[in-house]
């Protein structure tokens, strides 16, 4: 089967890329964008500068600041109402994955109507939505370059995976200078999230030669710089590298899909309000250890790409090093286990079977080299609890 690659039509990467928003909008013939963000980002000087630049360029933006971590259907509905209150012709997601995912979802419902649950997996929506421009302010989710949006249904507590070309931003402005104020904890969690994207994109059963190249380079870049940027969040070289790596990882998994880590991560976020990047980090070593035996060559390639194993190492040596190094990375980045995060053990055990069913229903575990049973997913939740 031929490989395919879907990317934002415009991708501008580097210091100052966010200052080119007005030019990019104008190139698409857009002049009435609704900027979607959160209250914190809306308070930052760079956001006010973005607004000023748009206004000086003759563009009339609106602002919706109602997004929350792990966006919900309530927030999306509020965004749709804001969209329909004026004649906005596009959306600009400014912030981390949550504002960008919210902007994508609002663009979808604004164009096609209905409810978000109408678009959840296994539905794939390729019909164009309203144009979205993504301006990420964190380095991790890769949402600026993916055909996915994750929205929590407040009625069911389900984190819904919504996919298709309708979710792919038309443009992404990837400016690492917007991440310089990220605190160390957020830096670590989003960074491991990006690393998880790259690894799962490479080992996914839907991987292809185009996504492989992006995933290998993302792994190499992210692993080489994550410790540095965690130790010194103001390290510009490391910041730029991690930002580029996160975008590459997003492009990789957008075109090959993620797998079991993400499938298991979403229910943790929905039921325990754990940030997405952190829940991925909690699971990555355990799920990798479960999976390596079913695709040792692919996992060994990951270890060698990240310099965890020598080029001439055996697959067994490389996969052993991979699991060890991922656990060590979590320790050095102070990633807590669910137990260490304060999640109640009794409630965790009680919800594990439900989370397992929701994980499998999302479709992502089906891309894993070793597709688990529901009982195995429950066992993995228990093993990851710590």
């Amino acid at each position: 089967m031929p490989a395919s690659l879907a990317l934002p039509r415009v991708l501008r990467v580097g210091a100052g890329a966010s200052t080119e928003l007005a030019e990019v909008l104008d190139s698409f013939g857009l002049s009435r964008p609704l900027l979607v963000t959160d209250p914190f980002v809306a308070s930052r000087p760079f956001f006010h500068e973005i607004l000023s630049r748009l206004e000086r360029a003759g563009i009339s933006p609106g602002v919706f600041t109602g997004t929350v971590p792990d966006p919900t259907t309530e927030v999306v509905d509020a965004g749709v109402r804001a969209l329909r209150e004026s004649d906005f012709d596009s959306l600009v997601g400014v912030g981390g994955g949550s504002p960008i995912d919210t902007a994508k979802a609002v663009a979808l419902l604004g164009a096609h109507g209905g409810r978000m649950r109408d678009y959840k997996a296994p539905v794939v929506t390729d019909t164009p939505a309203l144009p979205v421009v993504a301006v990420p302010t964190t380095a991790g989710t890769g949402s600026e370059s993916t055909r996915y949006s994750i929205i929590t249904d407040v009625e069911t507590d389900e984190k819904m995976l919504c996919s298709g070309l309708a979710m792919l931003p038309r443009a992404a402005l990837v400016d690492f200078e917007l991440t310089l104020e990220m605190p160390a904890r957020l830096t670590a969690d989003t960074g491991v999230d990006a690393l998880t994207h790259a690894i799962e994109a490479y080992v996914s059963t839907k991987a292809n030669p185009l996504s492989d190249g992006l995933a290998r380079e993302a792994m190499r870049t992210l692993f080489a710089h994550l410790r540095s940027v965690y130790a010194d969040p103001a390290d510009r070289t490391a910041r730029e590298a991690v930002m580029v790596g996160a975008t590459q990882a997003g492009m990789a998994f957008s075109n090959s899909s993620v797998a079991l880590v993400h499938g298991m991560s979403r229910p943790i976020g929905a039921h325990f309000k754990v940030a997405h990047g952190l829940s991925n980090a909690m699971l990555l070593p355990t799920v990798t250890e479960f999976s390596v035996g079913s695709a040792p060559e692919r996992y060994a390639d990951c270890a060698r790409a990240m310099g965890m194993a020598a080029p001439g190492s055996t697959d067994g040596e490389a996969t052993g090093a991979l699991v060890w190094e991922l656990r060590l990375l979590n320790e050095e980045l102070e990633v807590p286990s669910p137990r260490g995060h304060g999640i109640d053990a009794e409630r965790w055990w009680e919800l594990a079977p439900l989370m397992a069913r929701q994980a499998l229903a999302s479709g992502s575990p089906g891309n894993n080299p070793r597709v688990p049973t529901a009982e195995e997913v429950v066992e993995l939740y228990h093993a990851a609890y710590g």
Side-chain angles (χ1 to χ4, degrees):
M1 180 182 295
S4 64
L5 197 68
L7 303 173
R9 191 181 305 176
V10 173
L11 187 62
R12 300 193 181 186
V13 182
S18 61
T19 66
E20 300 178 2
L21 177 58
E23 176 188 336
V24 169
L25 288 169
D26 184 65
S27 71
F28 293 136
L30 304 170
S31 61
R32 281 286 296 158
L34 176 64
L35 274 61
V36 177
T37 190
D38 58 49
F40 176 77
V41 170
S43 71
R44 309 310 297 162
F46 72 77
F47 186 80
H48 295 293
E49 180 59 26
I50 286 173
L51 290 176
S52 296
R53 286 180 179 275
L54 291 177
E55 290 164 355
R56 291 197 297 271
I59 291 175
S60 303
V63 178
F64 174 72
T65 62
T67 68
V68 296
D70 296 317
T72 66
T73 48
E74 284 184 342
V75 168
V76 172
D77 290 343
V80 172
R81 289 194 295 271
L83 178 73
R84 290 173 174 163
E85 286 173 358
S86 191
D87 57 340
F88 296 114
D89 58 10
S90 55
L91 293 106
V92 178
V94 185
S98 294
I100 296 174
D101 275 8
T102 301
K104 294 178 181 183
V106 171
L108 178 69
L109 295 189
H112 301 299
R115 300 177 299 174
M116 283 310 300
R117 69 183 62 172
D118 300 331
Y119 301 95
K120 73 176 185 177
V123 174
V124 175
T125 309
D126 287 336
T127 308
L130 292 175
V132 173
V133 177
V135 184
T137 63
T138 64
T141 70
S143 186
E144 69 274 6
S145 58
T146 74
R147 60 179 99 187
Y148 302 109
S149 181
I150 309 296
I151 305 296
T152 299
D153 189 328
V154 296
E155 295 182 17
T156 63
D157 264 347
E158 178 187 2
K159 262 194 170 184
M160 301 181 295
L161 172 65
C162 305
S163 66
L165 294 177
M167 298 294 183
L168 184 66
R170 184 172 296 189
L173 309 181
V174 184
D175 186 346
F176 77 89
E177 291 186 326
L178 302 187
T179 72
L180 290 173
E181 295 182 10
M182 284 177 63
R185 179 74 268 141
L186 181 61
T187 296
D189 296 344
T190 56
V192 179
D193 184 22
L195 186 63
T196 305
H197 291 154
I199 293 172
E200 291 209 300
Y202 193 79
V203 303
S204 168
T205 58
K206 295 180 179 178
N208 61 69
L210 297 173
S211 63
D212 281 354
L214 289 164
R216 279 194 300 265
E217 181 61 20
M219 281 185 269
R220 184 196 66 78
T221 301
L222 289 162
F223 190 75
H225 292 93
L226 265 176
R227 290 175 173 87
S228 298
V229 78
Y230 180 66
D232 180 9
D235 184 332
R236 290 176 63 88
T237 299
R239 278 286 182 204
E240 183 170 21
V242 170
M243 189 73 163
V244 171
T247 297
Q248 290 173 319
M251 291 189 287
F253 88 79
S254 181
N255 291 282
S256 68
S257 193
V258 287
L260 181 55
V261 175
H262 276 75
M264 290 180 60
S265 172
R266 296 182 196 111
I268 295 175
H271 292 287
F272 295 99
K273 311 307 177 189
V274 177
H276 175 67
L278 177 56
S279 58
N280 276 341
M282 289 173 172
L283 294 166
L284 179 59
T286 299
V287 173
T288 299
E289 186 172 29
F290 169 82
S291 305
V292 289
S294 297
E297 301 89 353
R298 300 294 283 182
Y299 280 104
D301 283 348
C302 293
R304 296 183 190 112
M306 290 183 274
M308 298 172 176
S313 59
T314 67
D315 288 348
E317 291 169 340
T319 55
L322 175 64
V323 174
W324 172 264
E325 289 287 349
L326 291 178
R327 293 193 186 282
L328 184 62
L329 180 65
N330 271 9
E331 289 180 13
E332 295 185 7
L333 298 183
E334 300 177 283
V335 175
S337 66
R339 180 195 299 273
H341 192 63
I343 293 175
D344 178 73
E346 183 176 348
R347 188 159 181 262
W348 181 269
W349 308 141
E350 177 187 350
L351 288 175
L354 172 61
M355 292 197 296
R357 291 194 298 273
Q358 291 177 337
L360 293 172
S362 73
S364 298
N367 306 320
N368 206 58
R370 178 180 175 183
V371 179
T373 64
E375 291 76 14
E376 286 175 323
V377 176
V378 171
E379 291 174 3
L380 286 169
Y381 277 127
H382 288 183
Y385 183 74

